[in-house]
Structures are given as structure tokens and as C-alpha cells.
Amino acid sequence: MKKKGRDLLTAFRKTFLTLQNPTPQIKMDASSERYSYNPVLRWNPQVEDYFIKAYGSLHFAQISEALTRPSCYSCIRVNTLKSTSDAVIEKLQEIMKQSGSKNVVEDINTKETKASNIIDSDMAEKQSSLQNGPISKCQIPGLEYVVFVKGSGPHAIDYGYAPGKPPKEVLVSRKCAEAVLRGAQVYVPGVMACSSHVEEGDLVAVSVAVEQPISDGGWGLGITRGTVLQGLQTDPYYFERNGLFIGQGTTMLSRAGIFRASQGIAVDMKNRVFNLPSFHDVLEGEIFLQNLPSIVTAHALDPQKGERVLDMCAAPGGKTTAIAMLMKGEGEVIAADRSHNKVMDIQKLAAEMGLTCITAYKLDALKAVCKRNGSSDMTTLCYNKDNNDVIQRSELRSLENGGSSTTIVGSNVDTACKENVSNEKPNERTYVSKADIRKNMRRMRNGPGRNQSLGGRVENSKGFLPNSFDRVLLDAPCSALGLRPRLFGGEETIETLRNHGKYQRRMFDQAVQLVHPGGVLVYSTCTINPGENEALVRYALDTYKFLSLAPQGYPCITTIMLLKNLHPRIGGPGLVGSCEFPDGYIEEWLRPGEEELVQRFDPSSPLDTIGFFIAKFVVGSKDT
């Protein structure tokens, strides 16, 4: 029976292998090598040495190469409260056919495969037929609501080069190029330089400006915005652009218009090195574009109906809504983020998906724990930073229920503050500085500032009481070195990587206080840095003796009848051992036996995902 389980799991993992497109072997001449996409990811030398110690030279080279390319498929999470995977697949097929997408192939229901003797034959036939098309349903048990859409690439593009007559060219920033490789257009702010005499409607080659080493030991572009490109070796940055051409498009503005305008599309991309279908404004409320490891993170948390769950760093709300979906909308999901606009985004996404159990607050994760004030039964907040003329009073009991508060809107903030803040001295006058008066006058004259640019109000939380949640997810801000495509990695140094780890430990110290004994805490990042992953786990286990790592799934499936009760574990093991730095500091990672209790997603693996890490902790009795 165990053998059948292993065979079945192998078949499930083949789902991802069928999505991958092998890189075509193209014979290139000298000009083709220049006008191609073959980037080399540059790292800080010390960081590169550190990663080589962690992964080995060959493996890290494979990871670096994988990071420079997008995944070969888009991963869509279906909102099962509004639709089904089959219904979404049908709608997406119709949309792609109407748009004339190149990814559309033969009807996906025409191909049959032999059914497994374990799974019902009719269902197996339907699932395998879906898997063979450009749009396929995930075959991993528990993830049937996930849909994959195949992309393609890398493609060889003829840019129309002729000896002595290079094509017209638009040079874009690295950030712009990374977005284009994911399917975006070239927008005006992303254009760095352009050939002369470019007019609206011209066909141009699009290349990338990537940071290069400079004399002081740092990194720089060596080119200023507005530079005229001639496509000759006398051009600044000519040789560095070799192998950094990401596609061909039609200009929507002239050269003068591109550098005069402040927004809008500069180049409409027609031929791309990688073709990934766009899902902007498609089936809003029914689907959400999300990386596979992020979906698995919600399953690792394993939220149950009726529980109280906290997502500490929730923006943009993907994991929050995934958690609420797994709870079938029954329970309380608290989403917190320190950005006003991002909290607005979470609220909007929850409303689109019809998830009324989600409440979003503005809150810094480093201040997530609210301490009881023994001398007062009420906590009063006079707030006039992000919500003008708004005063909030929050009873201590309301903090226990997620920091909800009663909002009082008044026309005179100063008067209200006098009445509500000065409890001890009722007759004391509240001083308002001239600087505050000038700030308010500027705000009235100039309109809402950056923190209010989306309009509307968000509720602010003073934090939550210790032991007040059943489950907490800490998807910590990190170096993001697992995100792809990535064209440059040199911005991170050993020092900045260590600082990320220190910052995450402070957040973890807050998170661990909020989970009651018997609860669950899940920690995740989107980086390949062991210092932010395995080293954090080591810190957690050594610091908090009541924490223990918990299994996240069962890689060996013994019977199909158990599949409904299992949670998918598709990531690989963590890193065991330690690393000693030149300054003598030793970074401890996992110990033997712990590596299989975490999930590490390798961008160079057959799953073709972003780099990601998940650790799940069970909270024991805090008294001991």
C-alpha cells in the first residue's frame, strides 16, 4: 500500500513537469547572441560565497539561473465560495479564445489517459484531460481549487538586425524589465534611454539596464535617463546589454513624448521572450493570481471553522483570503499591516471575494502585542495622523476582540482631544504647536498625502492581548531573494541579510506571544537566504522551549481514502548545519531530523516556483 502511495505522489508531481517548456537549443551568430535573453545574475561577492557554502557551487548556479526567468506557468487560486475550478477553466478558455491568445491549443477534453486503479476512472479521465491543455487543474490532493495556465519561452526573436544598421531600441530599468517578463507593458516611468528619431508606431527592440560594478566597489548604471542610443559600440552600456533583450514592441509615443510624459504606456509589447497570459481585471472575485507556495502556506496553518486567526503582515491579502476560504468564511480572520493604502487593498480584495469574516487593521507588526493597563479600564486614543478629524476610543475589551473601536467624527479635533485625553486634569488646556497648525493648513491646501492617496478610512489597532489567537501567520518582510524573475542580486550584503534576520526575530517575538497554548504559529518568507529561514527556526526553538516544529503534510500517501484529511506537502527539506562567517559569527541552521518538518521551495526544482520557506510551530504550555 505504501508503494502505491509513493507512486501516486510521483504522478501528482508530474503535473508540474508537464507544465514546463524545455529551453529551445538555438544556434546563434554574433548578432543573435547580442540580441538575445541570456542574463547572468550578479551577487555581492561575500553573499555569493555564503550561498555557495549553503547550497554548493553547482546548485547555487542553478538557482541563480532559475531566478532570472519567470515560472513557466501562472498559478490561479479559485474562490470556491463563488465558483469551481471547472467553471473557471471554461471561462478562461473562452476568454483566451476570444483574445486570440497564442497559448490556446486543441480542445482540452479530446485527449484520454489510462485511469489509475485507485482513483475513480471517470474522475481520472476528466482530470487528466484538463491537465493536458494550456489550462489545467492541480492534481495534488487538497489543491483541486488551484488552476495552472501554461506560459511559453524563452523565444528567439528576430529584431531585424542588419550589419551597420542596428534596430531602433528602447532601454528600460531593471524593475520595469522584471515586470515586462511577467507580462506587463513598458510604461513611461520605466524608460531609461531611447534611439534617436523614434516616432509613434515604430517597431523597437526592448533591452534592460542592469547595475554593473563601479570603481568605488559599489554598483551603478552608468547611464542617465534620456540618453540617445545608437546601437553602436560607442554607446554607453553597449556591451553590458548583450543578452539582455526582453522583446519587441510598438512605441505608443515618440521619443520626445516618452521623456515628456509622466505616465502611460511607452511600448506595447508584441513579441516577448516569455509569454505569460495576463489576468488583470479578469474574473474579479472568482480568481486570485497567487504563487503556489503562498497557497500551501495557508494549508500549513490549517485554519478551522470558528477559530480566531491573525495574519500579521497581511498585504496584499492573498494569504488572508486563502485562510478565510479554508475556513469557509466561518470564524474571525484579522489582517494587519502598517500601510494605510495596503490595508485598503486588503479590504477591497475581501469585499470582491465576498469574505465578510475578514477585518483589516492598520498596525505595525512590531507593536502587535497590547499590554494590559492595570490602572485603567479604558484605553483612549486621540488620532489625527491618517484620518483627519477622527477620534477613536477603544475599550480594553475591544482590544481582546481584535482592536475594534468606536469612531467619533468631529469638526473640532482640538476640542475633542481636550475632552478625552486630559483625564487627570480636566481644566488643563491642550497645547497645539504652530508646526501642527502649519501642517494642517498644508494638508487642507494640498489635499490628501501619500498615506491617504487611495481615499477612505482604515481602522487603527493598538495591538492584541497575549494568547488571544488560535493561529497566527507571520509572513515576514524579507530580502525577497526568491522572487522571480530577478535580474540583479547585488543590492544585498552580508550585513543587510543579517539585519533582515534581526528584524524578523523581533516580529517573531511578538507573534509567539499572541498564540494561546495549543495553538499554531506559521512562519514564512519568499527568500532563499538561510539566515532568514532555517536560522530563524533555530532561534525560535532555542529561545522558546514551549515551541516545537509540526509536520506540514504527509509525503507518503498510504490510501486514497485519507486524502481529504491530508494537507499537501510539496516543498523540499530545509538546510541542516551551520555557517561560520569571516568575522567569527556562527549562524546555526536546522539539526538532523528537523529538515523534513519544514518546506523549502527551490526555484531550480521541477516545481518551477519562486524561492520560498515555511515553518510550522505548535505552541505548548507557556508556564513551563
Side-chain angles (χ1 to χ4, degrees):
M1 205 64 174
K2 288 185 178 180
K3 183 179 184 300
K4 288 183 178 180
R6 286 192 294 269
D7 293 343
L8 186 59
L9 184 69
T10 301
F12 292 146
R13 286 182 171 171
K14 286 182 179 178
T15 299
F16 299 95
L17 292 174
T18 62
L19 290 169
Q20 292 183 320
N21 297 285
T23 304
Q25 299 297 320
I26 303 169
K27 188 175 181 180
M28 295 183 176
D29 54 25
S31 63
S32 297
E33 286 187 17
R34 170 170 169 73
Y35 295 99
S36 65
Y37 183 75
N38 188 28
V40 176
L41 190 57
R42 292 179 178 268
W43 300 91
N44 174 282
Q46 288 75 33
V47 170
E48 186 170 11
D49 289 342
Y50 166 62
F51 284 151
I52 288 175
K53 289 179 182 178
Y55 296 104
S57 180
L58 178 59
H59 188 189
F60 180 60
Q62 294 169 342
I63 291 175
S64 293
E65 182 179 3
L67 288 175
T68 63
R69 289 159 169 75
S71 297
C72 64
Y73 60 93
S74 296
C75 184
I76 295 173
R77 175 167 56 83
V78 177
N79 182 2
T80 54
L81 302 182
K82 286 189 174 183
S83 188
T84 65
S85 298
D86 292 339
V88 164
I89 287 174
E90 289 181 8
K91 291 178 182 179
L92 290 178
Q93 280 183 307
E94 187 61 30
I95 291 171
M96 293 174 73
K97 287 179 181 178
Q98 291 177 358
S99 64
S101 171
K102 296 178 181 179
N103 290 324
V104 176
V105 294
E106 299 177 349
D107 183 1
I108 63 173
N109 292 317
T110 59
K111 198 170 183 180
E112 297 182 1
T113 58
K114 184 178 179 181
S116 167
N117 58 1
I118 301 177
I119 307 174
D120 178 78
S121 60
D122 292 337
M123 182 59 69
E125 182 178 346
K126 184 176 181 181
Q127 289 179 343
S128 64
S129 66
L130 288 173
Q131 184 177 336
N132 288 324
I135 307 176
S136 60
K137 185 193 300 185
C138 181
Q139 302 297 295
I140 297 175
L143 295 179
E144 294 85 359
Y145 64 97
V146 176
V147 171
F148 300 118
V149 182
K150 285 184 183 179
S152 61
H155 299 287
I157 297 174
D158 182 3
Y159 293 98
Y161 172 83
K165 189 179 180 182
K168 290 185 178 181
E169 185 179 346
V170 168
L171 180 69
V172 301
S173 68
R174 172 173 55 86
K175 291 292 185 183
C176 175
E178 290 170 352
V180 170
L181 289 169
R182 293 192 299 268
Q185 301 288 2
V186 175
Y187 288 88
V188 166
V191 177
M192 291 292 298
C194 182
S195 299
S196 61
H197 307 300
V198 167
E199 301 296 336
E200 180 181 346
D202 282 352
L203 194 63
V204 294
V206 180
S207 60
V208 190
V210 177
E211 293 86 338
Q212 302 291 326
I214 54 179
S215 56
D216 64 358
W219 304 86
L221 284 180
I223 193 169
T224 57
R225 192 169 191 267
T227 297
V228 177
L229 301 177
Q230 298 176 357
L232 303 175
Q233 295 186 14
T234 54
D235 275 351
Y237 212 70
Y238 175 88
F239 292 102
E240 290 85 348
R241 297 203 301 278
N242 287 354
L244 286 175
F245 284 76
I246 59 174
Q248 190 177 50
T250 303
T251 54
M252 305 300 289
L253 299 166
S254 65
R255 173 186 165 81
I258 289 174
F259 294 111
R260 186 181 298 126
S262 60
Q263 59 184 1
I265 296 177
V267 181
D268 180 16
M269 297 298 293
K270 300 297 185 183
N271 297 315
R272 299 172 179 270
V273 172
F274 291 92
N275 282 322
L276 294 173
S278 173
F279 297 100
H280 182 65
D281 294 334
V282 174
L283 302 181
E284 282 190 0
E286 290 187 57
I287 65 173
F288 184 79
L289 192 64
Q290 190 171 23
N291 289 304
L292 183 64
S294 296
I295 299 174
V296 174
T297 301
H299 281 270
L301 188 65
D302 191 21
Q304 303 297 310
K305 291 182 181 179
E307 289 185 331
R308 188 164 188 250
V309 180
L310 172 65
D311 187 353
M312 283 183 67
C313 304
K319 296 182 183 68
T320 305
T321 53
I323 291 167
M325 248 179 48
L326 293 177
M327 296 169 67
K328 306 298 182 185
E330 299 179 24
E332 185 181 13
V333 180
I334 306 296
D337 199 273
R338 68 179 184 178
S339 165
H340 175 280
N341 287 349
K342 290 180 179 179
V343 174
M344 294 285 294
D345 290 338
I346 296 170
Q347 292 175 339
K348 179 182 177 183
L349 179 61
E352 285 177 357
M353 305 191 81
L355 297 167
T356 57
C357 65
I358 296 174
T359 307
Y361 296 100
K362 181 179 177 182
L363 173 67
D364 187 341
L366 294 177
K367 303 174 183 178
V369 179
C370 174
K371 302 297 184 182
R372 287 184 180 272
N373 185 352
S375 62
S376 174
D377 293 331
M378 180 176 291
T379 301
T380 304
L381 170 66
C382 179
Y383 191 76
N384 187 30
K385 181 178 180 182
D386 291 298
N387 297 310
N388 293 341
D389 301 340
V390 176
I391 299 174
Q392 297 177 328
R393 294 178 184 173
S394 302
E395 294 186 6
L396 190 60
R397 185 177 302 172
S398 73
L399 291 173
E400 295 176 349
N401 294 323
S404 60
S405 59
T406 302
T407 303
I408 303 173
V409 180
S411 60
N412 192 325
V413 176
D414 296 337
T415 303
C417 285
K418 291 176 186 178
E419 294 176 354
N420 292 286
V421 175
S422 301
N423 300 351
E424 299 177 358
K425 300 179 181 179
N427 297 323
E428 181 182 3
R429 298 183 62 185
T430 303
Y431 173 74
V432 180
S433 69
K434 292 183 179 180
D436 287 336
I437 294 173
R438 289 194 298 269
K439 185 186 296 182
N440 286 333
M441 291 178 64
R442 286 196 302 270
R443 184 181 292 118
M444 294 175 65
R445 182 174 65 249
N446 299 331
R450 180 177 180 183
N451 287 341
Q452 295 172 285
S453 60
L454 294 182
R457 294 191 175 108
V458 300
E459 201 162 357
N460 297 272
S461 173
K462 294 289 285 184
F464 309 103
L465 292 177
N467 305 322
S468 58
F469 289 94
D470 299 294
R471 299 173 195 267
V472 170
L473 169 63
L474 174 56
D475 184 51
C478 65
S479 58
L481 293 179
L483 297 184
R484 44 191 299 212
R486 171 177 294 276
L487 298 177
F488 179 66
E491 69 270 20
E492 293 290 351
T493 65
I494 291 296
E495 183 180 2
T496 61
L497 290 182
R498 284 189 190 175
N499 288 337
H500 286 304
K502 294 175 183 178
Y503 185 59
Q504 290 148 1
R505 291 178 186 182
R506 292 173 60 197
M507 286 190 176
F508 192 90
D509 291 338
Q510 295 280 303
V512 75
Q513 297 180 61
L514 295 172
V515 188
H516 65 64
V520 171
L521 170 59
V522 168
Y523 172 83
S524 63
T525 70
C526 57
T527 183
I528 62 171
N529 175 26
E532 300 173 71
N533 297 332
E534 286 86 354
L536 186 283
V537 174
R538 180 80 280 121
Y539 166 79
L541 295 177
D542 291 347
T543 305
Y544 302 100
K545 300 303 182 182
F546 54 80
L547 289 182
S548 58
L549 283 174
Q552 298 181 40
Y554 301 87
C556 293
I557 303 171
T558 58
T559 171
I560 198 67
M561 297 303 295
L562 292 177
L563 293 181
K564 293 182 179 179
N565 299 321
L566 299 182
H567 295 286
R569 175 192 164 84
I570 57 177
L575 298 177
V576 175
S578 62
C579 179
E580 183 174 357
F581 291 87
D583 62 0
Y585 173 75
I586 298 178
E587 184 177 270
E588 296 284 347
W589 300 333
L590 300 181
R591 293 170 184 165
E594 296 174 339
E595 67 274 19
E596 294 295 341
L597 295 175
V598 303
Q599 292 193 73
R600 170 179 276 278
F601 291 82
D602 185 337
S604 65
S605 75
L607 294 182
D608 199 26
T609 67
I610 61 172
F612 207 86
F613 181 84
I614 309 171
K616 178 179 181 179
F617 301 90
V618 173
V619 181
S621 174
K622 296 183 180 181
D623 295 335
T624 57

